[in-house]
């Protein structure tokens, strides 16, 4: 019986290797080019978090990891030498009901896609509009 189990495991491993190495099954991993977790009021100066970083030309997206205690709105500005982006993101909770429970998932609504046409340095400002105690992670990911 042990030989049958070994043979089955070898066959499954070979099939998995063939499927994963196939060129039609590309696995895309998001590359974060900017990340901050805002979880402490001391991270803000005059009510705003600021940072500076560089981006290459390309297409990028904002990604958030919020929860129900996150700021209800996040005002984000991203400014470069030849680029200016401003958006007021609004936290939206979606109720999910199952047979035994109810729960919410959270995300920010707003313009998440940005397109950069040349490499440059950027200044980002994130304003939680007075809610410094709610935590949220903000990423800019490369497409």
């Amino acid at each position: 019986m042990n030989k049958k189990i070994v043979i089955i495991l070898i066959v499954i491993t070979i099939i998995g290797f063939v499927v994963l190495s196939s060129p039609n099954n590309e696995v895309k991993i998001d590359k974060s080019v900017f990340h901050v977790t805002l979880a402490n009021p001391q991270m803000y100066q005059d009510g705003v978090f600021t940072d500076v970083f560089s981006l290459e030309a390309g297409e990028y997206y904002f990604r958030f990891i919020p929860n129900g205690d996150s700021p209800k709105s996040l005002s984000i500005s991203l400014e470069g030498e030849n680029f200016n982006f401003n958006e007021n993101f609004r936290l939206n909770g979606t109720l999910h009901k199952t047979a035994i429970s109810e729960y919410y998932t959270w995300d920010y609504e707003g313009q998440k896609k940005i397109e950069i046409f040349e490499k440059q340095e950027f200044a980002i400002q994130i304003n939680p509009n007075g809610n410094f105690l709610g935590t949220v992670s903000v990423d800019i990911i490369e497409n």
Side-chain angles (χ1 to χ4, degrees), residues 72-136:
K72 301 302 178 224
S73 68
L74 279 180
S75 300
I76 297 180
S77 69
L78 187 61
E79 295 182 13
E81 184 177 328
N82 300 313
F83 184 85
N84 189 14
F85 171 87
N86 291 293
E87 184 68 29
N88 294 314
F89 292 97
R90 298 276 177 220
L91 185 63
N92 182 38
T94 303
L95 176 63
H96 301 274
K97 294 182 180 183
T98 68
I100 59 171
S101 69
E102 293 182 355
Y103 63 95
Y104 282 88
T105 56
W106 301 93
D107 198 10
Y108 282 95
E109 295 179 343
Q111 175 64 38
K112 294 182 182 179
K113 178 182 173 183
I114 54 176
E115 195 166 353
I116 309 300
F117 295 106
E118 61 186 271
K119 180 181 179 178
Q120 56 193 293
E121 189 170 272
F122 290 89
I124 189 168
Q125 293 186 337
I126 304 173
N127 183 345
N129 300 297
N131 186 350
F132 307 112
L133 299 177
T135 63
V136 62

Side-chain angles (χ1 to χ4, degrees), residues 8-94:
I8 290 171
L9 290 174
I10 291 172
V11 170
I12 290 172
T13 303
I14 291 171
I15 291 171
F17 178 75
V18 170
V19 168
L20 291 176
S21 65
S22 172
N24 294 332
N25 293 327
E26 293 183 27
V27 176
K28 185 173 181 179
I29 298 174
D30 292 333
K31 180 182 174 190
S32 179
V33 294
F34 171 82
H35 171 80
V36 64
T37 298
L38 300 171
N40 183 339
Q42 295 174 345
M43 298 179 76
Y44 301 96
Q45 185 173 359
D46 297 324
V48 178
F49 170 83
T50 59
D51 200 0
V52 176
F53 59 97
S54 295
L55 289 177
E56 300 285 336
E59 195 172 272
Y60 298 89
Y61 291 88
F62 283 97
R63 179 177 58 194
F64 302 97
I65 302 175
N67 62 56
D69 292 332
S70 295
K72 301 302 178 224
S73 68
L74 279 180
S75 300
I76 297 180
S77 69
L78 187 61
E79 295 182 13
E81 184 177 328
N82 300 313
F83 184 85
N84 189 14
F85 171 87
N86 291 293
E87 184 68 29
N88 294 314
F89 292 97
R90 298 276 177 220
L91 185 63
N92 182 38
T94 303

